[in-house]
């Protein structure tokens, strides 16, 4: 019940902007229509309703505050199930909010270090360098003279997020259960994804650990620099890193003023990304312009600087294989191969009709290949691949979705720097060398060595395993019958339970409505 005021606020904002009309699924539900109709009464005839549906959602999220802005930003990257107009609108959500001044940063540092800040720092700037919904960054200098930045969490942010996530999960369950076809919006997945991202951002120590590993992966690299973490002054809720100087990657005018080779810069960006994906299997997954800077010291060989490693992606060997082999096949427009790979590797059920899968891929990809190769988006092709595979019952791994989102960002950044950027040319060598390496005897030998210990362990038990499996056969037949009866009984019980809870929910919503209505029309 402590979440009721927050819930009512969400309902009232959703009603003000008539958000349920955004999706035919929610627009059809009679419960939602009644709730929105009544809760939206105070705003009937209001000008906000003249905005486009996409603008209404963006404005509503801005009105609900930073946590919802973040949710909107996350949604904006889900082009695999959002219409593009909506994704574009959500992308314009800005996460910069006024900084907090109380408690003072020095007080926070004192508390985190459990000693006066002067024992470690010679200077801390009270005014924030940057401030967002979750964290705030201040410039400082260590006693040893190094220029650093201190990143701290907003006071009370843990609790706010915890409450918001409870409410959002509740809403997601409601949509899934009571909105006809609501599960197609995958609300619970969206919120789980959001929770994962936001919890990652709350954990500054894990951000520090990611930064350290990324730095190690690119030690002595001429193309990417990652700032050092000062662990001796970092604590739970406070991360201290080396202060970097660079031109924000989105500031093309300044980059040009420094005569930075933009083509080289764009291509290097793609190379770094594919190195992270295929060589290290550890990629920075929050590649928006605020996190990427450029060191123009050598403008012909510019070096990137990456900060804010809160969100990191990692691909399993199987994911890498999926990505490399399918992208190569798509590149050759060999849709039969794409379909065969899906069945062969067990990514889709063995019963899938290869011809149908092939035709589906051809239908979505061929129009894309009408464009010159350099204008084709990798990220968008992946969206199409996942959508098609999804229709054939493949569960796309979250790590691949994260990769596809990052790829869209990388492409966006690259093309902003150098519109002629040919991603295929830059990426192809990575995909091919990965594929070649897999076929090398040394690789196959390593794979064999990894699996042989399992065989050796299983071998002495083989006769027993065979016997078990024979006995199993008879038992299974008898069990099957009992199971069918049990399943039928359970289904009936489940139906009864659903009817009961639906009645209960209608009652709760109606009560909440009345309270909400009284609350907001006071
Ligand atoms: N090491 C650093 N050196 C210089 N500026 C930094 C550094 N870290 C962060 N900043 C500045 O603070 C902003 C926000 O930091 P960031 O770590 O990206 O926080 P958030 O998680 O809020 O995006 C950055 O966009 C950058 O301008
Ligand atoms: Mg950032």
């Amino acid at each position: 019940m402590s979440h009721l005021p927050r819930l009512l606020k969400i309902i009232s904002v959703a009603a003000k902007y008539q958000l349920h009309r955004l999706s035919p699924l929610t627009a059809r539900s009679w419960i939602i229509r009644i709730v929105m109709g009544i809760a939206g009464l105070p705003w009937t005839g209001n000008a906000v309703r003249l905005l486009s549906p996409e603008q209404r959602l963006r404005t509503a999220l801005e009105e609900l505050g930073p946590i919802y802005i973040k949710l909107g930003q996350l949604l904006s990257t889900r082009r695999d199930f959002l219409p593009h107009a909506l994704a574009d609108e959500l992308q314009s959500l800005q996460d910069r909010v006024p900084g907090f001044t109380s408690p003072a940063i020095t007080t926070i540092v004192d508390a985190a270090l459990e000693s006066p800040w002067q024992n470690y720092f010679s200077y801390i700037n009270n005014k924030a360098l940057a401030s967002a919904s979750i964290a705030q960054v201040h410039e400082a200098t260590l006693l040893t003279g190094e220029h650093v930045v201190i990143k701290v969490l907003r006071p009370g942010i843990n609790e706010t997020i915890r409450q918001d996530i409870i409410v959002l999960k509740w809403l997601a369950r409601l949509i899934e259960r009571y909105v006809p076809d609501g599960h197609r919006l995958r609300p619970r997945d969206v919120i789980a994804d959001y929770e994962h991202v936001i919890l990652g951002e709350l954990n500054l120590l894990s951000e520090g650990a990611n930064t350290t590993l990324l730095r190690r992966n690119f030690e002595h690299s001429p193309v990417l620099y990652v700032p050092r973490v000062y662990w001796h002054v970092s604590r739970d809720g406070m991360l201290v890193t080396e202060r970097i100087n660079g031109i924000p990657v989105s500031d093309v005018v300044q980059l040009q003023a420094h005569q930075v080779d933009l083509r080289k810069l764009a291509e290097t960006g793609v190379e770094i990304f594919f190195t992270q994906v295929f060589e290290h299997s550890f990629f920075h997954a929050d590649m928006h312009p605020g996190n990427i800077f450029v060191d123009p010291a050598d403008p012909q060989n510019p070096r990137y600087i990456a900060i804010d490693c809160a969100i990191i992606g990692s691909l399993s060997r199987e994911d890498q294989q999926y990505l490399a082999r399918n992208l190569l096949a798509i590149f050759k427009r060999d849709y039969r191969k794409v379909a065969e790979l899906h069945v062969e590797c067990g990514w889709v059920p063995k019963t899938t009709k290869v011809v149908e899968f092939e035709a589906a891929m051809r239908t979505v990809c061929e129009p894309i290949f009408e464009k010159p190769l350099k204008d084709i988006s990798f990220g968008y092709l992946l969206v199409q691949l996942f959508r098609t595979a999804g229709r054939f019952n493949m569960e796309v791994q979250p790590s691949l979705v994260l990769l596809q989102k990052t790829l869209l960002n990388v492409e966006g950044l690259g093309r902003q720097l150098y519109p002629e950027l040919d991603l295929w040319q830059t990426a192809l060598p990575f995909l091919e060398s990965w594929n070649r390496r897999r076929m090398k005897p040394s690789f196959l030998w390593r794979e064999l060595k990894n699996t042989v210990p399992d065989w050796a362990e299983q071998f002495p038990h083989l006769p027993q395993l065979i016997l078990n499996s024979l006995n199993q056969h008879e038992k299974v037949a008898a069990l099957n019958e009992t199971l069918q009866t049990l399943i039928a009984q359970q289904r009936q019980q489940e139906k009864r339970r659903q009817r009961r809870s639906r009645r209960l929910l209608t009652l709760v919503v109606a009560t909440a409505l009345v309270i909400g209505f009284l609350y907001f029309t006071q």
Side-chain angles (χ1 to χ4, degrees), residues 96 129-130 132 137 149 151 241-244 290-291 293 307-308:
R96 294 294 157 207
L129 174 68
V137 175
V149 294
K151 187 170 182 177
T241 50
E242 171 188 351
R243 193 187 323 163
I244 51 103
N291 295 338
F293 296 79
I307 60 164
D308 195 357

Side-chain angles (χ1 to χ4, degrees), residues 70 95-96 129-139 147-151 201 204 207 227-228 239-246 248 286 288-293 305-310:
K70 199 112 213 147
D95 190 26
R96 294 294 157 207
L129 174 68
S131 168
S133 48
I134 295 180
Q136 180 159 307
V137 175
H138 289 256
E139 291 171 304
H147 294 298
V148 296
V149 294
I150 306 177
K151 187 170 182 177
E201 296 206 25
L204 292 185
E207 178 177 331
R228 179 178 162 194
L239 181 69
V240 180
T241 50
E242 171 188 351
R243 193 187 323 163
I244 51 103
N245 277 311
D286 193 9
H288 77 81
N291 295 338
I292 314 290
F293 296 79
I305 309 171
I307 60 164
D308 195 357
C309 305

Side-chain angles (χ1 to χ4, degrees), residues 333 365-378 380 415 424:
R333 290 156 88 162
C365 290
E366 277 304 296
I368 303 176
F369 279 111
E370 287 284 296
K371 287 198 252 175
L373 219 49
K374 67 172 181 49
D375 293 337
I376 294 172
S377 156
F378 251 55
Y380 184 62
R415 294 225 161 104
W424 295 93

Side-chain angles (χ1 to χ4, degrees), residues 202-248:
L202 280 177
N203 190 343
L204 292 185
L205 287 183
S206 120
E207 178 177 331
N210 291 338
T211 312
T212 305
L213 182 52
L214 195 65
R215 180 179 163 84
R216 202 179 312 146
N217 286 346
F218 283 90
E219 212 157 23
H220 312 302
S221 158
V223 290
L224 177 66
Y225 184 77
V226 182
R228 179 178 162 194
V229 174
Y230 290 94
W231 285 110
H232 72 291
V233 274
S234 295
R235 297 287 184 278
D236 193 15
M238 174 172 119
L239 181 69
V240 180
T241 50
E242 171 188 351
R243 193 187 323 163
I244 51 103
N245 277 311
I247 304 171

